[in-house]
Structure formats: C-alpha cells, structure tokens
Amino acid sequence: MERRSNFGARIERFKDVTSTQDVAKELAEAGAAEGTVVVAERQDKGRGRLGRKWLSPSGGLWFSIILRPNIPANDASRLTLMAAVAIAGALRDQAGIEAHIKWPNDVLVNGKKVCGILTEGGVRGHVLEYVAIGIGIDVNNNVDDLPSELLVPATTLKDEAGQELDLSELLNCCLRSLETEYKDLHEFNLILSRWRMLSAVIDQRVSVSEQMKSVEGKAIDIDETGALLVADDNGTIHKILTGDLKIL
Ligand code: BTN
C-alpha cells in the first residue's frame, strides 16, 4: 500500500514572524506532527548558522518543517545534508535550474548562494525528539538587498532563471522532494551518493575555518557523519565537522 504523504498536511502560514524556526519549535514542543510546516512572507529575526542574521524580506521562500526522525542527536547533521539534496533536487525538477551543494548547507546556482539551511533540534536523552529544519530560498526578492559579506556571492532564483517563480508551487515541490529524501534517511549511503553527485566542493581547492583553526587543501569527500575530508598540501587528511568553507 502506498504511504500517504504527510509533509505539508498541516501548513501554518504567516505574514510576519520573528523566525519560522521559533514558531516551528513551539509547535513541535506542543506535539505537532511530523511534516508540519511553518511558512512566512517575512521574518523580522530570521537566523542563519553560527548565530548569523538571515535577511527575509517578502518575495523569498522562508519555511521550517518539523521532523521526528528518532535518531541519535549526534546524527543531526544527516538531516541538513538530506535537506540540501532535497532542495537542490527540487530546484532542478521544478525550475530546470542547475543547483549544486556547498558543504555543509548551502545550495548554489552558478556558483552563487540561493538557499541556506538551518537544523535546530529538541533532544531527549541522546535522541532527537524533533528537529525544525529551516529553509530560506531567495526567490523573487530583490538581489540588491542581499548581504554582500558572504563567503560566496548571493543571488536569487529570479535573477538566475530570468523570471519570477511561483512560491506555492516551489514550496510544494520542496516538500515532495524532502519527503522522498527523508524516506532514505536510514539508508544514508543513498543520500550521501546523491550529495556527492550534486556537490560543488568535492575535488575543489577549498579553505575551511573552524573556530580558531583554518585548513586549506583539496576537498576529497564527505563521510557518513557529514564531516568534510580535506587533504592539505602535505597529504594530511583533515576531518572537518563544522565551519565556513570558501571555494578557492
Ligand atoms: C544559513 O545559511 O546560515 C542558514 C539560513 C536559514 C534561513 C532559514 S529561513 C527559514 C528559517 N527561519 C529562520 O530564521 N532561519 C531559517
């Protein structure tokens, strides 16, 4: 029997929120079902990785989805990789846009960032009780408003595709793609191999800064924990769990 789709069975829509992550986490704490989505036209306090601000004017697609993966908290990065594969796939399918993934969580088009992903979770013991995966896609918003201090330049889908995109259709397409990838979470090697095929970084020369440390070399792979493996010029392989990556 075919499993009924539940991603987006409940969608909470807002004009303005602080952050869809705040609302999603509140709903998750109150017991909202897996697949519940929170989407907003604008966010006043949109946030990105490492405590950064995420500008969220109208015209972009800003949403969070609640998942209850029942996996160890240590494996949370798998969900970010899974989401990146899903969003890059959705952009390719819906808009014919050649999207790639920059480790760990950016989706790029023509070498420029169009989407960021933020995974935040509620942990019970060592298990993830829920995660809120926040996805921000610059779609029809004004490219001139995008921050310029990013490690990669930013762009919008409208600018890359040469036309505006329908935000509801794009949301549906992202949800279908997320649901498809999520079904493979327990066969993570399948997701990893799709990630490798979509990667903008494997085989590239990169520099990655992780807290006080910085590594430069060739990105050779990611492992099953989502860590990036970088070979420096002495041939030493560094396993990098988190950080900011620049493609050189
Ligand atoms: C990043 O690249 O640093 C991640 C950005 C994630 C932005 C999205 S927009 C929807 C959701 N709500 C937020 O406040 N952040 C995420």
Side-chain angles (χ1 to χ4, degrees):
M1 196 174 71
E2 198 171 304
R3 185 168 157 257
R4 280 206 10 242
S5 160
N6 65 353
F7 280 27
R10 174 178 177 192
I11 301 185
E12 298 287 338
R13 294 177 191 275
F14 295 87
K15 226 176 172 35
D16 264 304
V17 285
T18 50
S19 158
T20 55
Q21 288 292 87
D22 294 338
V23 183
K25 285 164 84 174
E26 239 172 67
L27 290 173
E29 303 273 350
E34 175 160 90
T36 300
V37 172
V38 178
V39 57
E41 264 179 56
R42 283 185 299 268
Q43 303 182 111
D44 302 330
K45 292 209 172 86
R47 56 180 178 268
R49 281 175 71 230
L50 310 171
R52 294 183 184 127
K53 267 200 211 152
W54 182 265
L55 276 182
S56 322
S58 49
L61 180 58
W62 325 122
F63 72 99
S64 300
I65 182 162
I66 298 169
L67 300 180
R68 298 189 180 279
N70 204 11
I71 57 172
N74 285 343
D75 289 345
S77 59
R78 293 187 171 199
L79 293 156
T80 311
L81 299 179
M82 179 282 294
V85 170
I87 302 303
L91 296 185
R92 284 169 175 254
D93 293 349
Q94 197 212 337
I97 289 174
E98 232 187 89
H100 288 101
I101 304 168
K102 173 177 164 289
W103 183 91
N105 66 337
D106 294 342
V107 177
L108 308 185
V109 176
N110 296 326
K112 291 174 268 179
K113 176 165 173 168
V114 284
C115 166
I117 298 167
L118 175 70
T119 304
E120 296 176 321
V123 176
R124 190 161 25 89
H126 294 292
V127 172
L128 274 180
E129 193 177 5
Y130 70 84
V131 286
I133 303 185
I135 294 170
I137 310 180
D138 290 303
V139 187
N140 302 323
N141 43 318
N142 191 344
V143 75
D144 298 327
D145 296 339
L146 297 177
S148 52
E149 76 277 10
L150 297 176
L151 288 163
V152 273
T155 189
T156 67
L157 287 179
K158 178 179 73 178
D159 276 67
E160 299 311 309
Q163 58 178 41
E164 295 215 338
L165 272 82
D166 184 296
L167 292 181
S168 315
E169 269 176 33
L170 183 60
L171 175 62
N172 283 336
C173 193
C174 290
L175 295 179
R176 282 199 306 273
S177 189
L178 281 162
E179 186 154 16
T180 305
E181 292 301 330
Y182 187 57
K183 284 181 186 147
D184 283 342
L185 192 67
H186 293 288
E187 286 181 86
F188 194 60
N189 275 329
L190 296 176
I191 293 178
L192 277 182
S193 49
R194 290 195 280 275
W195 192 97
R196 289 185 183 106
M197 280 193 297
L198 292 165
S199 169
V201 302
I202 302 296
D203 289 336
Q204 299 295 312
R205 198 163 172 84
V206 298
S207 81
V208 195
S209 50
E210 186 185 16
Q211 289 168 352
M212 305 302 281
K213 210 177 95 191
S214 175
V215 175
E216 193 174 316
K218 185 173 163 185
I220 52 174
D221 202 0
I222 50 168
D223 70 11
E224 67 293 341
T225 67
L228 185 71
L229 307 180
V230 177
D232 70 17
D233 295 338
N234 300 319
T236 306
I237 302 201
H238 301 258
K239 179 173 160 165
I240 300 165
L241 293 167
T242 176
D244 277 327
L245 178 143
K246 194 171 165 52
I247 301 173
L248 299 172

mmCIF file of all heavy atoms in Angstrom, residues 12-49:
data_model
loop_
_atom_site.group_PDB
_atom_site.id
_atom_site.type_symbol
_atom_site.label_atom_id
_atom_site.label_comp_id
_atom_site.label_asym_id
_atom_site.label_seq_id
_atom_site.Cartn_x
_atom_site.Cartn_y
_atom_site.Cartn_z
ATOM 1 N N GLU A 12 1.129 26.042 8.454
ATOM 2 C CA GLU A 12 0.766 27.274 9.166
ATOM 3 C C GLU A 12 1.405 28.437 8.413
ATOM 4 O O GLU A 12 2.625 28.491 8.281
ATOM 5 C CB GLU A 12 1.302 27.240 10.609
ATOM 6 C CG GLU A 12 0.738 26.122 11.461
ATOM 7 C CD GLU A 12 -0.714 26.370 11.863
ATOM 8 O OE1 GLU A 12 -1.157 27.537 11.852
ATOM 9 O OE2 GLU A 12 -1.405 25.382 12.188
ATOM 10 N N ARG A 13 0.530 29.331 7.882
ATOM 11 C CA ARG A 13 1.037 30.449 7.067
ATOM 12 C C ARG A 13 0.962 31.762 7.853
ATOM 13 O O ARG A 13 -0.055 32.038 8.484
ATOM 14 C CB ARG A 13 0.202 30.596 5.799
ATOM 15 C CG ARG A 13 0.340 29.414 4.870
ATOM 16 C CD ARG A 13 -0.561 29.549 3.650
ATOM 17 N NE ARG A 13 -0.594 28.284 2.931
ATOM 18 C CZ ARG A 13 0.294 27.912 2.036
ATOM 19 N NH1 ARG A 13 1.279 28.727 1.723
ATOM 20 N NH2 ARG A 13 0.215 26.728 1.447
ATOM 21 N N PHE A 14 2.004 32.551 7.765
ATOM 22 C CA PHE A 14 2.051 33.844 8.471
ATOM 23 C C PHE A 14 2.527 34.926 7.510
ATOM 24 O O PHE A 14 3.261 34.642 6.573
ATOM 25 C CB PHE A 14 3.054 33.783 9.642
ATOM 26 C CG PHE A 14 2.646 32.828 10.727
ATOM 27 C CD1 PHE A 14 2.989 31.486 10.639
ATOM 28 C CD2 PHE A 14 1.908 33.272 11.812
ATOM 29 C CE1 PHE A 14 2.612 30.594 11.631
ATOM 30 C CE2 PHE A 14 1.527 32.384 12.814
ATOM 31 C CZ PHE A 14 1.879 31.045 12.724
ATOM 32 N N LYS A 15 2.072 36.155 7.798
ATOM 33 C CA LYS A 15 2.587 37.302 7.039
ATOM 34 C C LYS A 15 3.961 37.672 7.607
ATOM 35 O O LYS A 15 4.932 37.740 6.895
ATOM 36 C CB LYS A 15 1.618 38.473 7.195
ATOM 37 C CG LYS A 15 1.321 39.132 5.867
ATOM 38 C CD LYS A 15 0.302 40.228 5.982
ATOM 39 C CE LYS A 15 0.189 40.985 4.675
ATOM 40 N NZ LYS A 15 0.344 40.195 3.479
ATOM 41 N N ASP A 16 3.972 37.882 8.929
ATOM 42 C CA ASP A 16 5.193 38.299 9.630
ATOM 43 C C ASP A 16 5.450 37.395 10.810
ATOM 44 O O ASP A 16 4.526 37.158 11.583
ATOM 45 C CB ASP A 16 4.958 39.691 10.250
ATOM 46 C CG ASP A 16 5.481 40.786 9.372
ATOM 47 O OD1 ASP A 16 6.669 40.734 9.060
ATOM 48 O OD2 ASP A 16 4.684 41.672 9.032
ATOM 49 N N VAL A 17 6.654 36.934 10.985
ATOM 50 C CA VAL A 17 7.013 36.225 12.220
ATOM 51 C C VAL A 17 8.401 36.707 12.634
ATOM 52 O O VAL A 17 9.090 37.361 11.840
ATOM 53 C CB VAL A 17 7.105 34.679 12.039
ATOM 54 C CG1 VAL A 17 5.750 34.033 11.949
ATOM 55 C CG2 VAL A 17 7.964 34.300 10.861
ATOM 56 N N THR A 18 8.814 36.370 13.848
ATOM 57 C CA THR A 18 10.211 36.628 14.198
ATOM 58 C C THR A 18 11.049 35.697 13.324
ATOM 59 O O THR A 18 11.848 36.123 12.493
ATOM 60 C CB THR A 18 10.475 36.314 15.682
ATOM 61 O OG1 THR A 18 9.963 34.995 15.963
ATOM 62 C CG2 THR A 18 9.838 37.335 16.579
ATOM 63 N N SER A 19 10.809 34.397 13.489
ATOM 64 C CA SER A 19 11.508 33.384 12.702
ATOM 65 C C SER A 19 10.574 32.175 12.608
ATOM 66 O O SER A 19 9.953 31.802 13.611
ATOM 67 C CB SER A 19 12.807 32.995 13.416
ATOM 68 O OG SER A 19 13.240 31.724 12.999
ATOM 69 N N THR A 20 10.473 31.595 11.431
ATOM 70 C CA THR A 20 9.636 30.386 11.312
ATOM 71 C C THR A 20 10.190 29.279 12.217
ATOM 72 O O THR A 20 9.448 28.393 12.646
ATOM 73 C CB THR A 20 9.575 29.882 9.857
ATOM 74 O OG1 THR A 20 10.914 29.669 9.386
ATOM 75 C CG2 THR A 20 8.853 30.864 8.953
ATOM 76 N N GLN A 21 11.491 29.357 12.548
ATOM 77 C CA GLN A 21 12.086 28.370 13.448
ATOM 78 C C GLN A 21 11.469 28.481 14.849
ATOM 79 O O GLN A 21 11.202 27.466 15.492
ATOM 80 C CB GLN A 21 13.605 28.572 13.552
ATOM 81 C CG GLN A 21 14.392 28.182 12.324
ATOM 82 C CD GLN A 21 14.379 26.688 12.061
ATOM 83 O OE1 GLN A 21 13.479 26.180 11.398
ATOM 84 N NE2 GLN A 21 15.352 25.974 12.563
ATOM 85 N N ASP A 22 11.229 29.736 15.303
ATOM 86 C CA ASP A 22 10.638 29.923 16.637
ATOM 87 C C ASP A 22 9.259 29.277 16.679
ATOM 88 O O ASP A 22 8.921 28.560 17.624
ATOM 89 C CB ASP A 22 10.481 31.425 16.965
ATOM 90 C CG ASP A 22 11.818 32.120 17.100
ATOM 91 O OD1 ASP A 22 12.817 31.436 17.350
ATOM 92 O OD2 ASP A 22 11.858 33.358 16.952
ATOM 93 N N VAL A 23 8.451 29.539 15.636
ATOM 94 C CA VAL A 23 7.083 29.014 15.625
ATOM 95 C C VAL A 23 7.117 27.485 15.511
ATOM 96 O O VAL A 23 6.400 26.777 16.231
ATOM 97 C CB VAL A 23 6.280 29.621 14.449
ATOM 98 C CG1 VAL A 23 4.844 29.134 14.487
ATOM 99 C CG2 VAL A 23 6.338 31.133 14.482
ATOM 100 N N ALA A 24 7.971 26.976 14.629
ATOM 101 C CA ALA A 24 8.024 25.524 14.431
ATOM 102 C C ALA A 24 8.455 24.818 15.716
ATOM 103 O O ALA A 24 7.904 23.770 16.085
ATOM 104 C CB ALA A 24 8.982 25.186 13.287
ATOM 105 N N LYS A 25 9.431 25.400 16.413
ATOM 106 C CA LYS A 25 9.910 24.758 17.645
ATOM 107 C C LYS A 25 8.817 24.767 18.716
ATOM 108 O O LYS A 25 8.630 23.779 19.424
ATOM 109 C CB LYS A 25 11.196 25.433 18.137
ATOM 110 C CG LYS A 25 12.384 25.018 17.267
ATOM 111 C CD LYS A 25 13.580 25.911 17.434
ATOM 112 C CE LYS A 25 14.431 25.536 18.619
ATOM 113 N NZ LYS A 25 15.669 26.361 18.657
ATOM 114 N N GLU A 26 8.075 25.882 18.780
ATOM 115 C CA GLU A 26 6.953 25.937 19.727
ATOM 116 C C GLU A 26 5.915 24.859 19.401
ATOM 117 O O GLU A 26 5.435 24.146 20.283
ATOM 118 C CB GLU A 26 6.262 27.296 19.603
ATOM 119 C CG GLU A 26 6.232 28.113 20.868
ATOM 120 C CD GLU A 26 5.713 29.504 20.584
ATOM 121 O OE1 GLU A 26 4.526 29.643 20.244
ATOM 122 O OE2 GLU A 26 6.529 30.449 20.694
ATOM 123 N N LEU A 27 5.584 24.752 18.113
ATOM 124 C CA LEU A 27 4.596 23.738 17.703
ATOM 125 C C LEU A 27 5.110 22.333 18.001
ATOM 126 O O LEU A 27 4.368 21.462 18.473
ATOM 127 C CB LEU A 27 4.282 23.858 16.206
ATOM 128 C CG LEU A 27 3.490 25.087 15.765
ATOM 129 C CD1 LEU A 27 3.411 25.160 14.247
ATOM 130 C CD2 LEU A 27 2.077 25.037 16.353
ATOM 131 N N ALA A 28 6.392 22.120 17.733
ATOM 132 C CA ALA A 28 6.970 20.792 17.971
ATOM 133 C C ALA A 28 6.920 20.444 19.452
ATOM 134 O O ALA A 28 6.551 19.333 19.837
ATOM 135 C CB ALA A 28 8.405 20.740 17.446
ATOM 136 N N GLU A 29 7.263 21.424 20.292
ATOM 137 C CA GLU A 29 7.220 21.197 21.750
ATOM 138 C C GLU A 29 5.799 20.873 22.206
ATOM 139 O O GLU A 29 5.588 20.132 23.152
ATOM 140 C CB GLU A 29 7.697 22.439 22.525
ATOM 141 C CG GLU A 29 9.100 22.930 22.171
ATOM 142 C CD GLU A 29 10.212 22.270 22.965
ATOM 143 O OE1 GLU A 29 9.887 21.560 23.924
ATOM 144 O OE2 GLU A 29 11.397 22.451 22.604
ATOM 145 N N ALA A 30 4.818 21.454 21.481
ATOM 146 C CA ALA A 30 3.414 21.222 21.852
ATOM 147 C C ALA A 30 2.870 19.946 21.210
ATOM 148 O O ALA A 30 1.682 19.668 21.322
ATOM 149 C CB ALA A 30 2.578 22.430 21.447
ATOM 150 N N GLY A 31 3.731 19.216 20.484
ATOM 151 C CA GLY A 31 3.324 17.899 19.979
ATOM 152 C C GLY A 31 2.913 17.856 18.516
ATOM 153 O O GLY A 31 2.353 16.854 18.066
ATOM 154 N N ALA A 32 3.179 18.923 17.749
ATOM 155 C CA ALA A 32 2.764 18.923 16.327
ATOM 156 C C ALA A 32 3.366 17.723 15.592
ATOM 157 O O ALA A 32 4.475 17.277 15.891
ATOM 158 C CB ALA A 32 3.210 20.211 15.663
ATOM 159 N N ALA A 33 2.608 17.232 14.628
ATOM 160 C CA ALA A 33 3.009 16.004 13.928
ATOM 161 C C ALA A 33 4.191 16.246 12.990
ATOM 162 O O ALA A 33 4.407 17.375 12.519
ATOM 163 C CB ALA A 33 1.823 15.492 13.106
ATOM 164 N N GLU A 34 4.890 15.156 12.727
ATOM 165 C CA GLU A 34 5.962 15.190 11.722
ATOM 166 C C GLU A 34 5.387 15.672 10.398
ATOM 167 O O GLU A 34 4.291 15.270 10.000
ATOM 168 C CB GLU A 34 6.522 13.775 11.555
ATOM 169 C CG GLU A 34 7.554 13.684 10.456
ATOM 170 C CD GLU A 34 8.427 12.468 10.618
ATOM 171 O OE1 GLU A 34 8.074 11.410 10.079
ATOM 172 O OE2 GLU A 34 9.471 12.586 11.276
ATOM 173 N N GLY A 35 6.126 16.547 9.728
ATOM 174 C CA GLY A 35 5.672 17.046 8.426
ATOM 175 C C GLY A 35 4.949 18.371 8.521
ATOM 176 O O GLY A 35 4.631 18.981 7.501
ATOM 177 N N THR A 36 4.696 18.859 9.758
ATOM 178 C CA THR A 36 4.064 20.179 9.927
ATOM 179 C C THR A 36 5.028 21.254 9.407
ATOM 180 O O THR A 36 6.229 21.210 9.675
ATOM 181 C CB THR A 36 3.745 20.434 11.418
ATOM 182 O OG1 THR A 36 2.853 19.413 11.862
ATOM 183 C CG2 THR A 36 3.134 21.800 11.637
ATOM 184 N N VAL A 37 4.435 22.221 8.672
ATOM 185 C CA VAL A 37 5.259 23.255 8.029
ATOM 186 C C VAL A 37 4.812 24.634 8.516
ATOM 187 O O VAL A 37 3.621 24.870 8.700
ATOM 188 C CB VAL A 37 5.090 23.154 6.488
ATOM 189 C CG1 VAL A 37 5.759 24.329 5.776
ATOM 190 C CG2 VAL A 37 5.658 21.836 5.984
ATOM 191 N N VAL A 38 5.787 25.506 8.718
ATOM 192 C CA VAL A 38 5.507 26.905 9.049
ATOM 193 C C VAL A 38 6.139 27.749 7.958
ATOM 194 O O VAL A 38 7.332 27.599 7.678
ATOM 195 C CB VAL A 38 6.138 27.281 10.409
ATOM 196 C CG1 VAL A 38 5.894 28.755 10.723
ATOM 197 C CG2 VAL A 38 5.587 26.395 11.528
ATOM 198 N N VAL A 39 5.330 28.613 7.318
ATOM 199 C CA VAL A 39 5.884 29.432 6.240
ATOM 200 C C VAL A 39 5.471 30.875 6.478
ATOM 201 O O VAL A 39 4.365 31.132 6.956
ATOM 202 C CB VAL A 39 5.444 28.879 4.850
ATOM 203 C CG1 VAL A 39 3.951 28.792 4.693
ATOM 204 C CG2 VAL A 39 6.037 29.686 3.705
ATOM 205 N N ALA A 40 6.374 31.807 6.192
ATOM 206 C CA ALA A 40 6.072 33.218 6.441
ATOM 207 C C ALA A 40 6.474 34.058 5.238
ATOM 208 O O ALA A 40 7.437 33.732 4.533
ATOM 209 C CB ALA A 40 6.830 33.702 7.675
ATOM 210 N N GLU A 41 5.717 35.154 5.030
ATOM 211 C CA GLU A 41 6.087 36.076 3.948
ATOM 212 C C GLU A 41 7.370 36.821 4.298
ATOM 213 O O GLU A 41 8.191 37.100 3.432
ATOM 214 C CB GLU A 41 4.974 37.106 3.761
ATOM 215 C CG GLU A 41 4.014 36.718 2.656
ATOM 216 C CD GLU A 41 2.904 37.736 2.514
ATOM 217 O OE1 GLU A 41 3.189 38.945 2.312
ATOM 218 O OE2 GLU A 41 1.751 37.306 2.621
ATOM 219 N N ARG A 42 7.463 37.203 5.583
ATOM 220 C CA ARG A 42 8.647 37.945 6.040
ATOM 221 C C ARG A 42 9.040 37.466 7.418
ATOM 222 O O ARG A 42 8.175 37.014 8.182
ATOM 223 C CB ARG A 42 8.308 39.438 6.214
ATOM 224 C CG ARG A 42 8.215 40.233 4.947
ATOM 225 C CD ARG A 42 8.009 41.715 5.281
ATOM 226 N NE ARG A 42 6.773 41.928 6.017
ATOM 227 C CZ ARG A 42 5.613 42.219 5.449
ATOM 228 N NH1 ARG A 42 5.531 42.333 4.144
ATOM 229 N NH2 ARG A 42 4.534 42.382 6.176
ATOM 230 N N GLN A 43 10.313 37.566 7.743
ATOM 231 C CA GLN A 43 10.774 37.287 9.109
ATOM 232 C C GLN A 43 11.526 38.519 9.613
ATOM 233 O O GLN A 43 12.376 39.057 8.899
ATOM 234 C CB GLN A 43 11.740 36.108 9.135
ATOM 235 C CG GLN A 43 11.190 34.806 8.553
ATOM 236 C CD GLN A 43 12.201 33.678 8.656
ATOM 237 O OE1 GLN A 43 12.019 32.741 9.406
ATOM 238 N NE2 GLN A 43 13.268 33.776 7.885
ATOM 239 N N ASP A 44 11.212 38.927 10.853
ATOM 240 C CA ASP A 44 11.932 40.087 11.411
ATOM 241 C C ASP A 44 13.259 39.672 12.021
ATOM 242 O O ASP A 44 14.186 40.470 12.123
ATOM 243 C CB ASP A 44 11.116 40.727 12.554
ATOM 244 C CG ASP A 44 9.766 41.158 12.069
ATOM 245 O OD1 ASP A 44 9.675 41.490 10.883
ATOM 246 O OD2 ASP A 44 8.804 41.132 12.873
ATOM 247 N N LYS A 45 13.293 38.419 12.488
ATOM 248 C CA LYS A 45 14.533 37.962 13.146
ATOM 249 C C LYS A 45 14.960 36.627 12.555
ATOM 250 O O LYS A 45 15.259 35.677 13.294
ATOM 251 C CB LYS A 45 14.301 37.820 14.649
ATOM 252 C CG LYS A 45 14.073 39.144 15.343
ATOM 253 C CD LYS A 45 14.543 39.090 16.796
ATOM 254 C CE LYS A 45 14.524 40.433 17.470
ATOM 255 N NZ LYS A 45 13.282 40.833 18.065
ATOM 256 N N GLY A 46 14.949 36.543 11.218
ATOM 257 C CA GLY A 46 15.404 35.321 10.567
ATOM 258 C C GLY A 46 16.840 35.047 10.988
ATOM 259 O O GLY A 46 17.631 35.977 11.121
ATOM 260 N N ARG A 47 17.154 33.783 11.221
ATOM 261 C CA ARG A 47 18.527 33.493 11.663
ATOM 262 C C ARG A 47 19.169 32.429 10.778
ATOM 263 O O ARG A 47 18.485 31.569 10.208
ATOM 264 C CB ARG A 47 18.581 33.087 13.127
ATOM 265 C CG ARG A 47 17.713 31.914 13.508
ATOM 266 C CD ARG A 47 17.874 31.613 15.004
ATOM 267 N NE ARG A 47 17.017 30.523 15.442
ATOM 268 C CZ ARG A 47 15.798 30.700 15.936
ATOM 269 N NH1 ARG A 47 15.288 31.901 16.052
ATOM 270 N NH2 ARG A 47 15.081 29.649 16.321
ATOM 271 N N GLY A 48 20.496 32.521 10.718
ATOM 272 C CA GLY A 48 21.266 31.566 9.931
ATOM 273 C C GLY A 48 22.175 30.764 10.842
ATOM 274 O O GLY A 48 22.054 30.820 12.069
ATOM 275 N N ARG A 49 23.092 30.036 10.235
ATOM 276 C CA ARG A 49 24.050 29.240 11.008
ATOM 277 C C ARG A 49 24.936 30.161 11.836
ATOM 278 O O ARG A 49 25.159 31.298 11.487
ATOM 279 C CB ARG A 49 24.972 28.469 10.054
ATOM 280 C CG ARG A 49 24.374 27.254 9.465
ATOM 281 C CD ARG A 49 25.364 26.675 8.466
ATOM 282 N NE ARG A 49 26.523 26.093 9.126
ATOM 283 C CZ ARG A 49 27.781 26.374 8.794
ATOM 284 N NH1 ARG A 49 28.078 27.226 7.851
ATOM 285 N NH2 ARG A 49 28.766 25.770 9.428
#
